[in-house]
Amino acid sequence: MGTQIERHLRRLRIEHPQTMSFDTSDSLLSMVANGMGVAITTPLCILQAAVHRPALEVMPLPATGLSRTIALVTKQGGLGTLAARIADDTRVLLRNWTLPQIAAQIAWMARSVGSIVLDPLAHEDAACRCVAGGSTRTLDEQYNPN
């Protein structure tokens, strides 16, 4: 996410000093909640650091174009139907618990929560391709060349 945020800020021509870096959203938002700077983070990180939420003002970035995709990646055929069940259960949790929590805690996000795509990829092969050494191969070919 950090790289994606940096790219987004460069595209907007926003220069910023970076004086600290954190590994956990709780540490980051604790510092912000205590008046030590600002941060760009995701709605999920804000939910994770709920103890700090009352002291935080959450605002949108000044331009659209920043998003992320969460994917479940497994070895092809390695988990049978378990991977599909995990993906389905995750979509249900996001739809029924996480997204409503985000909408309830971050009022301006309530409008966009409905546009979040929670459906499986239309073409599952698109989910199992990666680029390595200039050529495109499936993940199975990448890690099991024999």
Side-chain angles (χ1 to χ4, degrees):
M1 255 337 269
T3 302
Q4 193 175 5
I5 290 169
E6 288 294 326
R7 211 176 6 242
H8 184 70
L9 293 176
R10 272 195 306 276
R11 189 173 66 242
L12 298 174
R13 294 184 177 91
I14 296 174
E15 297 292 328
H16 63 90
Q18 181 177 350
T19 57
M20 291 185 242
S21 182
F22 295 89
D23 290 330
T24 68
S25 57
D26 186 59
S27 299
L28 172 69
L29 294 177
S30 173
M31 297 291 284
V32 173
N34 285 294
M36 298 180 194
V38 298
I40 298 174
T41 191
T42 67
L44 286 177
C45 289
I46 293 167
L47 289 183
Q48 284 179 309
V51 68
H52 306 294
R53 182 65 187 98
L56 299 172
E57 181 178 0
V58 181
M59 298 176 285
L61 288 173
T64 60
L66 187 62
S67 66
R68 79 173 173 178
T69 300
I70 300 172
L72 173 66
V73 179
T74 66
K75 180 177 170 28
Q76 193 168 14
L79 295 177
T81 62
L82 180 60
R85 289 191 343 240
I86 290 170
D88 289 341
D89 289 349
T90 301
R91 280 190 290 277
V92 168
L93 286 170
L94 284 168
R95 187 177 297 113
N96 296 337
W97 189 86
T98 306
L99 294 177
Q101 287 293 314
I102 290 169
Q105 291 187 31
I106 308 169
W108 59 265
M109 285 207 69
R111 295 182 304 274
S112 59
V113 162
S115 66
I116 294 174
V117 177
L118 296 177
D119 295 326
L121 293 173
H123 191 297
E124 69 181 41
D125 190 47
C128 61
R129 296 233 170 252
C130 66
V131 177
S135 64
T136 303
R137 299 183 284 182
T138 67
L139 289 178
D140 194 48
E141 292 167 341
Q142 174 76 22
Y143 294 104
N144 298 303
N146 298 331

